């Protein structure tokens, strides 16, 4: 059961949008190795706005 979630909004500096996108795409394999992470999403919200959403069963 998911009891804790975290949303982090990221704003890329001008010209760094592709770097942030690459960073988020590269994060998925790392998260797959975290057994306590129930869900993880790297999302693009706009031209330079990104986000990370994580869900966990508890605070640990």
């Amino acid at each position: 059961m998911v009891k804790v979630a975290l949303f982090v909004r990221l704003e890329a500096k001008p010209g760094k949008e592709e770097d942030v996108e690459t960073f988020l795409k590269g994060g998925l394999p790392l998260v797959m190795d975290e057994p306590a992470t129930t869900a993880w999403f790297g999302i693009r919200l706009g031209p330079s706005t990104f986000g990370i959403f994580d869900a966990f069963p508890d605070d640990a």
Side-chain angles (χ1 to χ4, degrees):
M1 171 186 272
V2 174
K3 295 184 179 180
V4 179
L6 176 67
F7 176 75
V8 178
R9 184 175 172 223
L10 306 167
E11 191 67 37
K13 291 183 179 182
K16 298 293 184 178
E17 298 85 359
E18 296 304 316
D19 292 341
V20 175
E21 184 175 340
T22 299
F23 168 76
L24 291 176
K25 287 179 178 178
L28 183 59
L30 299 173
V31 174
M32 299 294 286
D33 290 334
E34 295 179 1
T37 302
T38 306
W40 183 90
F41 300 93
I43 55 176
R44 188 168 197 164
L45 301 167
S48 63
T49 306
F50 299 82
I52 298 171
F53 178 82
D54 293 300
F56 310 94
D58 55 41
D59 286 329

